[in-house]
Amino acid sequence: MNMKTTNLAQRRKNILKKMLRAGPFLEGTLAVTQRMCGAKECVCRRGKKHKAMYLTWKEEGKSRSMYVPVAKQKEALLMSQKYKKLKKLIRRLSDLHKKDLIRKETL
């Protein structure tokens, strides 16, 4: 094994370790909207709307959404951030594999 192969293998190993440590993640986009409830005398009827968080994702080519309860919003945000980090790691790993393919082709 030459130095470049060893370096690529070590970088690949480091990325995979980070991916394994990521923990639970959540694919999709989190968005906060404002809405009115059904209560006739609620403050939301006078302009101060309730904030609500929704998770939106694609499933079989269609957009899907779900309400995220207030008690789960911090957890959803953390899991969404982990997903974004995982996507970056996957991209880095893919770039390494491309370099490896190019290197093998030129040998």
Side-chain angles (χ1 to χ4, degrees), residues 58-100:
K58 291 279 188 182
E59 191 174 290
E60 296 179 10
K62 293 184 179 182
S63 291
R64 305 285 185 207
S65 291
M66 68 179 260
Y67 171 75
V68 180
V70 174
K72 295 287 188 173
Q73 289 179 2
K74 286 183 183 178
E75 183 180 358
L77 283 168
L78 287 172
M79 289 175 22
S80 178
Q81 290 168 351
K82 287 179 184 181
Y83 178 75
K84 289 175 185 171
K85 287 179 183 178
L86 276 171
K87 277 179 62 173
K88 287 179 183 178
L89 290 171
I90 290 168
R91 194 170 294 118
R92 286 177 49 202
L93 187 58
S94 179
D95 289 345
L96 285 177
H97 290 158
K98 289 174 194 171
K99 287 178 185 177
D100 196 37

Side-chain angles (χ1 to χ4, degrees), residues 9-103:
Q10 185 60 45
R11 288 170 62 191
R12 184 179 300 118
K13 185 178 177 180
N14 290 339
I15 291 170
L16 289 170
K17 279 183 185 179
K18 288 178 184 177
M19 289 172 75
L20 287 171
R21 288 191 304 251
F25 58 89
L26 186 60
E27 179 185 14
T29 302
L30 291 168
V32 177
T33 61
Q34 294 183 350
R35 64 186 176 129
M36 292 191 310
C37 69
K40 290 180 183 179
E41 299 299 320
C42 185
V43 68
C44 68
R45 298 285 175 190
R46 294 184 296 276
K48 189 173 189 232
K49 295 181 179 177
H50 303 286
K51 290 184 180 179
M53 181 181 282
Y54 289 88
L55 172 68
T56 304
W57 70 96
K58 291 279 188 182
E59 191 174 290
E60 296 179 10
K62 293 184 179 182
S63 291
R64 305 285 185 207
S65 291
M66 68 179 260
Y67 171 75
V68 180
V70 174
K72 295 287 188 173
Q73 289 179 2
K74 286 183 183 178
E75 183 180 358
L77 283 168
L78 287 172
M79 289 175 22
S80 178
Q81 290 168 351
K82 287 179 184 181
Y83 178 75
K84 289 175 185 171
K85 287 179 183 178
L86 276 171
K87 277 179 62 173
K88 287 179 183 178
L89 290 171
I90 290 168
R91 194 170 294 118
R92 286 177 49 202
L93 187 58
S94 179
D95 289 345
L96 285 177
H97 290 158
K98 289 174 194 171
K99 287 178 185 177
D100 196 37
L101 284 172
I102 292 168
R103 188 191 59 74

